[in-house]
Amino acid sequence: EAGVTQFPSHSVIEKGQTVTLRCDPISGHDNLYWYRRVMGKEIKFLLHFVKESKQDESGMPNNRFLAERTGGTYSTLKVQPAELEDSGVYFCASSQGGTQYFGPGTRLLVL
Amino acid sequence: GQQVMQIPQYQHVQEGEDFTTYCNSSTTLSNIQWYKQRPGGHPVFLIQLVKSGEVKKQKRLTFQFGEAKKNSSLHITATQTTDVGTYFCAEYQAGTALIFGKGTTLSVSS
């Protein structure tokens, strides 16, 4: 069974640019989560989808971040415009109510 | 908001020595989960503890949940170089998400 996949694995952009991260959850998992780890800090929750609906987006830092999950399958997380403090590793995880399985992450560097 | 404090932040040991990381919360935890993230990798679920005073073992790893459900520990006996990584504790809040501690990064020299 394929695990959670994320694309791209790395992204280097300049401040002010736009970046879109993609996550493909494990097939059949209704729950999809986005997390972020800034260097040296804890992994922080961003938001939670149940199928295509946003269950909880309390962790989204500000309105420069937009997440979608059209059709309840893959999800995208867009950062527009990117700022220096957005640099970090963005993890996606999926679950079917139990254990959360994490993807490999996207390492974002904003210069 | 809810915070899970984890110590130490870093730990270096010689291969064969033991290692322990601790998680503490000011409020009662509904559960505690432990994850391991290898360098350059992603968090991988290790175990979940739910009951007060619960102790679970996985080979050289021993996980404990405090009687008051406000603290937890992960103990590794006789560390090996394959144990290198960052160990996170996290509370799973039902219907929402994982609240992670800052993690303890373990390095092991042979």
Side-chain angles (χ1 to χ4, degrees):
Chain A
E1 176 183 289
V4 178
T5 58
Q6 291 186 246
F7 182 84
S9 60
H10 296 77
S11 181
V12 181
I13 60 173
E14 293 187 348
K15 175 183 171 179
Q17 290 186 320
T18 297
V19 63
T20 300
L21 314 180
R22 172 170 170 146
C23 169
D24 286 77
I26 293 173
S27 178
H29 281 191
D30 290 338
N31 295 282
L32 188 150
Y33 305 83
W34 283 99
Y35 294 89
R36 176 174 74 173
R37 189 181 188 202
V38 173
M39 179 75 76
K41 297 196 173 182
E42 68 268 31
I43 301 170
K44 280 200 168 180
F45 165 75
L46 296 177
L47 87 158
H48 170 206
F49 283 101
V50 177
K51 296 185 180 179
E52 67 275 12
S53 299
K54 290 178 184 174
Q55 178 79 7
D56 181 355
E57 53 184 329
S58 61
M60 294 287 262
N62 51 61
N63 58 11
R64 296 186 293 104
F65 289 75
L66 175 64
E68 295 180 326
R69 193 183 182 195
T70 308
T73 54
Y74 71 91
S75 175
T76 57
L77 178 64
K78 180 191 286 188
V79 185
Q80 179 182 31
E83 298 290 344
L84 300 179
E85 64 264 26
D86 300 333
S87 296
V89 183
Y90 290 77
F91 290 106
C92 171
S94 73
S95 78
Q96 194 52 7
T99 301
Q100 292 188 24
Y101 297 89
F102 282 76
T106 294
R107 283 148 183 80
L108 175 65
L109 179 59
V110 183
L111 301 176
Chain B
Q2 173 70 31
Q3 280 193 318
V4 179
M5 309 302 293
Q6 192 172 354
I7 57 168
Q9 188 173 359
Y10 300 97
Q11 180 82 57
H12 177 78
V13 299
Q14 295 286 322
E15 191 172 22
E17 292 181 336
D18 292 354
F19 159 77
T20 305
T21 173
Y22 302 90
C23 274
N24 294 284
S25 172
S26 58
T27 59
T28 301
L29 299 164
S30 55
N31 59 75
I32 195 83
Q33 297 187 2
W34 286 92
Y35 289 77
K36 177 183 178 181
Q37 182 177 356
R38 294 181 185 275
H42 58 278
V44 175
F45 174 80
L46 295 176
I47 209 159
Q48 175 172 279
L49 305 173
V50 178
K51 299 177 183 176
S52 168
E54 191 170 12
V55 178
K56 289 188 177 180
K57 292 190 175 185
Q58 290 179 350
K59 297 183 180 178
R60 294 178 295 103
L61 277 61
T62 302
F63 304 85
Q64 291 189 324
F65 202 7
E67 293 289 342
K69 298 181 71 173
K70 288 186 176 182
N71 59 77
S72 180
S73 65
L74 158 58
H75 180 82
I76 302 178
T77 304
T79 55
Q80 300 175 357
T81 55
T82 53
D83 295 327
V84 163
T86 300
Y87 294 84
F88 294 95
C89 61
E91 180 191 21
Y92 174 62
Q93 297 186 344
T96 174
L98 292 164
I99 307 300
F100 282 90
K102 287 191 175 183
T104 296
T105 299
L106 172 66
S107 58
V108 180
S109 55
S110 56

